[in-house]
Amino acid sequence: MSLDVTKRSGFVLRLFSLAAFSCMVLFAGIVVIQNEELGKLIPPSTARTLSILFAYIVAMTTFNYALAAKGRNFMGWKSEIFIMSGFAVTFVGMFLPHAFPSSQVVVTESWIPFSSKENTFLKPSWFYAPISFIALPLFYKSWREIRDMPLWQSSKKYKG
């Protein structure tokens, strides 16, 4: 297998790995935000939520850069910034609804008089989710940047 094919396949595998890592980080972020025991150590606040958000974005960026350096398939600063910005914006769009939820009070009636309960449930506020669509132009721009690179131009010769 040629070096060009190895770099291209390594890049595609890196993007798949980054997508899977982003999903795992999103799940971990939601679990950390909703953890009541952590809330005893560090009380829930906007500062705590935003620090968790930015810590996970830094983790995703570091993961991507480490894989690019290890696999020697770094595609240039401009396209890499567009790719990571797209993943970060998508992460923010899916994280914010869980980070700043809306509360819903559910009254549970009982057959015993005067013993109803009020339970408060936190529901994700999907008002923030459309932020994820900002990532589409970023992914498109990075795709255009990468497609115009000489590494990817050589793959068009083999198509016949």
Side-chain angles (χ1 to χ4, degrees):
M1 188 170 4
S2 72
L3 182 61
D4 288 348
V5 172
T6 303
K7 282 187 175 187
R8 287 192 301 262
S9 62
F11 174 73
V12 171
L13 288 175
R14 177 166 57 101
L15 287 185
F16 285 144
S17 299
L18 184 59
F21 184 75
S22 298
C23 291
M24 189 247 349
V25 164
L26 177 64
F27 177 74
I30 292 168
V31 168
V32 168
I33 289 295
Q34 295 176 354
N35 189 343
E36 293 176 8
E37 295 301 317
L38 183 63
K40 293 177 184 175
L41 288 173
I42 304 169
S45 66
T46 304
R48 182 189 103 171
T49 302
L50 292 178
S51 65
I52 291 169
L53 172 77
F54 289 120
Y56 282 129
I57 290 173
V58 168
M60 287 181 353
T61 305
T62 305
F63 178 78
N64 182 43
Y65 184 72
L67 286 181
K70 181 73 175 165
R72 296 183 183 187
N73 53 19
F74 190 76
M75 294 294 154
W77 286 108
K78 195 173 181 182
S79 57
E80 292 289 340
I81 286 173
F82 284 128
I83 290 169
M84 276 316 302
S85 298
F87 275 105
V89 167
T90 304
F91 174 75
V92 167
M94 292 293 107
F95 182 79
L96 286 182
H98 299 280
F100 300 106
S102 59
S103 60
Q104 179 181 15
V105 177
V106 176
V107 178
T108 307
E109 298 292 334
S110 175
W111 60 276
I112 302 171
F114 306 111
S115 65
S116 62
K117 284 186 178 179
E118 289 186 1
N119 294 327
T120 304
F121 293 102
L122 297 176
K123 288 177 37 177
S125 177
W126 294 108
F127 174 75
Y128 300 108
I131 291 172
S132 296
F133 291 115
I134 297 172
L136 292 176
L138 296 171
F139 286 135
Y140 178 73
K141 181 66 176 162
S142 67
W143 176 69
R144 295 284 308 254
E145 290 284 329
I146 291 170
R147 190 183 68 171
D148 293 339
M149 293 178 75
L151 174 69
W152 296 89
Q153 295 294 326
S154 64
S155 68
K156 292 180 182 179
K157 294 178 191 174
Y158 301 117
K159 290 186 180 181

